[in-house]
Amino acid sequence: MNRVIPLLLCTLTLPFGSVSASQDCARWGDFTTLANTKMTTLNMPSQNRLSVSGQLVFRPLMQSDKFYWLGLQLSSAKLTLDNTDIQARYYSVPFAVKIAAQSGDILAYHFAAKLKAEDEQKLIAIYQQFHIEHLKKYDLRNPKILEESDNLGRYKIQYQKLADNSIQKHKLSYTMTTQGTQLFAFKKPEIKQDSFIFTTSACWVEKLNGFNNTRVESDKGDIRIDVAQSIKFVTKAQPIAADISLMSLPMDPLKWPLLSADNVYPKPLPVPLSSAEVFTNVLLNKDLHALSSAELLQLLYDNQIYLASLHALIKQQAFADKQLSRLLLMIGKSDSVYAHQLLGTLYLDTELDKNQRFRSLMALKYAEQPLNPALVEQLYAHIDNEALSKTDVKLARTALMVMGIIAKNQSGSVFAEQLTESLADRLVTTRDKHKQATLLNALGNSADSAHQERISKFLNNGDANLRATAALALSKMPNDVSLGYVEKSLKIETDNKAKQALLSAMGNNQLSESQVDDVLIFAHKQQGNEVRVAAINALAKQRAHHQGVIEKLKPLLRQERDQQVLKALMQAIHGNR
């Protein structure tokens, strides 16, 4: 039942201002919420009291004709549970909300750290539950009833402007329970009391005060949860503090550097065994497959300072093959500086078996913390060596691909930006076609659209394989710019393999009606079957955006005889039904 409580406590809510807000409209204020939760399970009552407070900061960000971004941060967040302080640094992570310019609907969220899904929801709830951007098109002098959603389900809500120009918000009743709560077989939530009043200025919300009391009960009546929650926000007259990180971030949230996981989710200090010898003996004497992932990760975390001692043991083949395979994987997932160094050293050790070196690279791809710059230089020194053996050439290509994956793992960080820049520089300077293909794949793995222009130049290369590889790289960074490159190339491409890659890239974007028709041409019989399948698969991805796609594909079924094409058509038309 612990999963139910956070859903209720996540309804920390606050409305924000209008699309016309400028940079002068950055605001901050004191935010507090107090939630009392009473839970009865099989007639056994329990109760807790959670408070969250901090300075809630608002900053308008990048704007365009189609959308705009709003930035938020609950600075100096403090949590207290039953009078005990709780460390929850994720509450202070800056985040941004992408709003549709015309409708005011929420399009996306972006966070300045890689957060757990449940923690993203807690930050989203600060904004989402009282989102009022969509209200700007309504005259609220008369009551306006809308339907909105939160973590518990869908509900009816009434807005009305009062005589003093403040706005009253009153949640009326839930009409639907979310799938998440249905897993626990709960009834529709019951709103016992809900009333919020807020005042706004030309920039933002100046004041918010309200109270909510909601009950959730299981169908059988054996579980009942009551949450009474008060929320208060008052704008501060003083200038925003200089150390608020949201205020110094780029206007484009997608260019925000990411906070490290250690800053957001600090681990307790490791408790190592007495020596490296004791640590290695523990590993050698345990069945590593019998240990749970959590147990093995904890052992590796506590003894990370001894990881280098494993190099000699691995070289001596002290571990059985399957044991070593799991050990290397978990060392990669432990993601410490010591783990990175060991895995890099194993890859660079040319006396080791090629399979172990390959496994080391596969483990290194889990790195979500920046690699030591010295290690990156060592890796590149080996990769760029022109006197590599055939085995080392293949491993070097794998290493470049892994670099791209690591960059994606840390997308938005300074380290990832430097890493993709180094890959792009090598793409420009090398004349080796095999290395060019590898670097294109590596940049594709990174999904860093900052380099899409460099990649796009290979769509005009005389080598069809490089054109196909460039198209596949662009397929991993769908956006209007990369779509333009791909669409232009598709019109003149003659090689079937390259056509397939270009069509795949097209399908990863949301296409216009005319673009759908352009792709449909490649699904007809005058094309090769592999190309037709690629076109059909690309069109299948448009079903959510274009209801007419299915009807356009159905005529192709009538005279189709090729089993591969027929299978693709059936899947596109009927999906998983």
Side-chain angles (χ1 to χ4, degrees):
M1 283 311 307
N2 290 337
R3 290 178 58 188
V4 178
I5 297 175
L7 292 176
L8 296 169
L9 298 185
C10 275
T11 57
L12 310 177
T13 53
L14 192 69
F16 298 108
S18 73
V19 66
S20 61
S22 69
Q23 274 304 288
D24 294 334
C25 280
R27 293 290 187 270
W28 72 330
D30 292 320
F31 174 82
T32 58
T33 181
L34 177 64
N36 285 299
T37 303
K38 296 180 180 178
M39 182 172 177
T40 303
T41 307
L42 299 176
N43 296 321
M44 296 292 293
S46 62
Q47 184 171 343
N48 65 50
R49 178 185 175 93
L50 174 70
S51 69
V52 181
S53 62
Q55 284 75 54
L56 189 60
V57 188
F58 166 85
R59 178 193 175 200
L61 299 169
M62 185 177 73
Q63 300 186 26
S64 73
D65 293 338
K66 294 182 179 180
F67 63 84
Y68 57 96
W69 288 93
L70 305 177
L72 299 101
Q73 182 182 3
L74 186 60
S75 179
S76 304
K78 180 180 178 182
L79 275 71
T80 304
L81 180 63
D82 296 334
N83 299 318
T84 301
D85 290 342
I86 301 173
Q87 188 181 66
R89 295 187 185 179
Y90 55 84
Y91 261 107
S92 290
V93 170
F95 67 104
V97 190
K98 187 178 183 181
I99 307 292
Q102 296 300 317
S103 67
D105 293 336
I106 298 169
L107 300 177
Y109 293 91
H110 183 77
F111 303 88
K114 201 166 187 177
L115 298 179
K116 298 174 183 176
E118 61 267 28
D119 295 335
E120 286 186 357
Q121 289 301 316
K122 291 170 187 174
L123 291 182
I124 287 172
I126 293 178
Y127 177 81
Q128 188 179 34
Q129 304 302 326
F130 275 62
H131 165 67
I132 62 166
E133 294 296 310
H134 60 307
L135 297 179
K136 60 182 180 285
K137 58 187 177 183
Y138 298 118
D139 180 357
L140 299 180
R141 287 175 295 182
N142 295 314
K144 182 67 179 179
I145 296 177
L146 302 173
E147 280 206 3
E148 297 179 2
S149 301
D150 63 15
N151 288 316
L152 297 178
R154 193 157 183 82
Y155 54 83
K156 290 184 178 180
I157 185 167
Q158 176 180 289
Y159 293 91
Q160 183 175 13
K161 185 169 286 189
L162 304 179
D164 62 356
N165 282 327
S166 63
I167 298 173
Q168 184 179 54
K169 171 189 175 299
H170 179 49
K171 192 183 290 184
L172 302 174
S173 61
Y174 278 86
T175 59
M176 185 183 300
T177 307
T178 62
Q179 186 176 12
T181 53
Q182 286 172 353
L183 294 174
F184 297 96
F186 275 76
K187 301 176 183 177
K188 284 186 293 189
E190 176 188 356
I191 301 169
K192 299 176 125 352
Q193 185 177 347
D194 183 277
S195 181
F196 288 83
I197 295 177
F198 55 89
T199 59
T200 63
S201 66
C203 286
W204 197 50
V205 171
E206 296 295 311
K207 187 184 296 185
L208 167 74
N209 201 357
F211 178 81
N212 170 274
N213 185 4
T214 301
R215 170 176 288 185
V216 178
E217 188 172 3
S218 65
D219 285 338
K220 295 180 179 179
D222 53 349
I223 300 170
R224 184 173 67 250
I225 303 168
D226 285 278
V227 177
Q229 183 177 28
S230 61
I231 302 172
K232 185 176 182 180
F233 173 79
V234 180
T235 302
K236 295 161 71 80
Q238 300 93 332
I240 297 175
D243 61 350
I244 302 293
S245 58
L246 173 66
M247 301 307 296
S248 61
L249 291 172
M251 291 287 285
D252 183 354
L254 301 182
K255 295 182 179 179
W256 285 1
L258 293 185
L259 295 168
S260 71
D262 286 341
N263 283 334
V264 180
Y265 300 110
K267 296 179 180 179
L269 293 174
V271 184
L273 296 169
S274 58
S275 68
E277 183 180 2
V278 173
F279 169 61
T280 54
N281 283 336
V282 168
L283 287 178
L284 290 169
N285 292 320
K286 280 186 177 291
D287 180 357
L288 299 182
H289 279 281
L291 283 177
S292 69
S293 295
E295 290 171 325
L296 186 48
L297 282 173
Q298 187 65 48
L299 179 63
L300 294 170
Y301 171 74
D302 283 337
N303 296 281
Q304 57 189 280
I305 58 173
Y306 302 140
L307 287 179
S309 64
L310 296 177
H311 184 188
L313 290 175
I314 292 171
K315 205 164 185 176
Q316 296 164 13
Q317 299 182 341
F319 296 96
D321 188 65
K322 288 186 178 180
Q323 299 275 66
L324 178 58
S325 178
R326 183 160 194 255
L327 179 59
L328 289 174
L329 173 65
M330 300 310 289
I331 288 172
K333 290 187 174 182
S334 70
D335 196 21
S336 68
V337 173
Y338 301 96
H340 301 162
Q341 189 60 52
L342 172 62
L343 296 171
T345 300
L346 292 173
Y347 159 65
L348 294 169
D349 188 345
T350 56
E351 296 179 359
L352 268 178
D353 179 79
K354 63 180 181 181
N355 292 326
Q356 308 309 351
R357 296 172 67 196
F358 176 79
R359 286 174 176 174
S360 299
L361 288 173
M362 290 298 98
L364 191 60
K365 72 180 182 181
Y366 291 99
E368 296 186 359
Q369 303 297 322
L371 304 187
N372 186 302
L375 175 59
V376 175
E377 287 302 316
Q378 287 178 304
L379 294 174
Y380 273 136
H382 181 264
I383 290 168
D384 294 335
N385 189 333
E386 295 183 358
L388 296 177
S389 66
K390 288 184 178 180
T391 295
D392 279 338
V393 166
K394 291 180 180 179
L395 287 170
R397 291 173 186 166
T398 302
L400 286 172
M401 304 278 275
V402 167
M403 294 282 203
I405 295 171
I406 292 173
K408 184 177 181 181
N409 292 346
Q410 301 176 44
S411 177
S413 69
V414 174
F415 173 76
E417 183 180 333
Q418 293 171 342
L419 199 54
T420 57
E421 189 65 39
S422 68
L423 293 169
D425 286 345
R426 283 167 169 77
L427 177 62
V428 172
T429 57
T430 185
R431 293 295 175 265
D432 183 313
K433 289 185 177 181
H434 293 295
K435 194 168 185 179
Q436 286 174 331
T438 301
L439 287 162
L440 286 169
N441 278 319
L443 286 169
N445 287 344
S446 77
D448 186 350
S449 59
H451 304 292
Q452 59 190 2
E453 182 180 357
R454 291 182 182 180
I455 295 170
S456 71
K457 292 179 180 179
F458 284 84
L459 294 175
N460 300 318
N461 194 278
D463 188 306
N465 181 59
L466 286 177
R467 298 200 301 273
T469 307
L472 288 174
L474 291 174
S475 74
K476 297 177 182 178
M477 42 190 82
N479 58 66
D480 289 344
V481 175
S482 67
L483 177 58
Y485 295 139
V486 168
E487 187 177 14
K488 181 180 177 181
S489 294
L490 184 59
K491 292 176 181 178
I492 58 174
E493 182 56 63
T494 57
D495 180 79
N496 281 350
K497 183 178 179 182
K499 284 181 183 179
Q500 291 174 63
L502 288 165
L503 288 164
S504 178
M506 290 284 288
N508 286 351
N509 289 271
Q510 183 173 334
L511 303 180
S512 67
E513 195 69 37
S514 62
Q515 288 168 331
V516 166
D517 289 339
D518 289 342
V519 172
L520 186 63
I521 293 172
F522 291 88
H524 287 85
K525 282 193 173 182
Q526 55 266 40
Q527 301 289 335
N529 287 342
E530 293 82 3
V531 173
R532 297 180 66 201
V533 168
I536 292 165
N537 290 339
L539 292 169
K541 296 177 183 179
Q542 304 303 308
R543 289 174 53 180
H545 316 300
H546 296 281
Q547 295 182 352
V549 163
I550 293 176
E551 295 306 316
K552 290 181 178 183
L553 287 172
K554 282 182 178 178
L556 300 180
L557 277 173
R558 294 170 186 165
Q559 296 181 336
E560 187 54 54
R561 295 293 179 267
D562 183 84
Q563 291 301 307
Q564 186 182 15
V565 177
L566 191 60
K567 181 179 179 181
L569 281 169
M570 294 296 288
Q571 182 66 32
I573 293 169
H574 300 290
N576 295 321
R577 289 177 291 174

